[in-house]
Amino acid sequence: MAITEQLAQLIAETTYGRLPVNAVTQAKRALLDTIGVTLAGHGETAGQIITAFVKDAGGHGEAAILGTSLCRSPAFAALANGTLAHALDFDDVTFHLRGHPSAPVVPAVLGLGQTLDASGADVI
C-alpha cells in the first residue's frame, strides 16, 4: 500500500475518541488562536477588502464570515476567513512545518463544518 493510501486509511479510521489528549488540546488551541487572529484581521485593509468582496458576491448563506453577520458559501467563508486569519501575520507556526498551518486549514474546516452541522469533536 502506498504512503498516501496508508495516510488516507489512517485518517478515515481515526475517531475523536482515539485521538491523544495532547492532540485534542493542540487542535483546540489552534482553533481558538485562528479565530482570534481572524477577528483581529477585520481592522486591516486586506480584511476590509475581502469582507466587502464576499458581501458583494452574494450567494448562499451557509457559513459565517467570523466577526460579521454575513453568511456565504463554505468556499467564500473559507476565502474570507482565511484572508482575515492571515491579515496580521500573527497566525500560528510549528517547529516541524515551519509554516502557518491553521490560517488555510481552520477556515475551510469551519466553513464546511458549519454547513454540515458538525460538532466541535467532528471539526477536530
Side-chain angles (χ1 to χ4, degrees):
M1 181 183 300
I3 188 73
T4 303
E5 291 171 319
Q6 291 174 1
L7 181 59
Q9 183 177 358
L10 175 67
I11 291 167
E13 293 174 355
T14 299
T15 63
Y16 181 85
R18 292 179 57 195
L19 293 172
V21 172
N22 189 46
V24 172
T25 299
Q26 291 304 317
K28 289 177 181 179
R29 182 206 54 79
L31 286 164
L32 288 172
D33 180 73
T34 304
I35 291 167
V37 296
T38 299
L39 295 174
H42 281 283
E44 296 299 303
T45 301
Q48 295 165 7
I49 290 169
I50 196 64
T51 302
F53 172 77
V54 297
K55 181 179 181 181
D56 291 345
H60 301 289
E62 302 167 349
I65 311 306
L66 299 178
T68 75
S69 60
L70 294 174
C71 286
R72 292 294 183 261
S73 70
F76 272 139
L79 173 66
N81 290 327
T83 302
L84 288 160
H86 192 65
L88 288 167
D89 201 22
F90 289 156
D91 41 340
D92 61 352
V93 294
T94 68
F95 176 75
H96 300 289
L97 295 176
R98 300 188 198 276
H100 304 282
S102 296
V105 174
V106 169
V109 170
L110 289 179
L112 183 59
Q114 188 174 9
T115 301
L116 298 175
D117 199 28
S119 69
D122 292 337
V123 167
I124 290 172

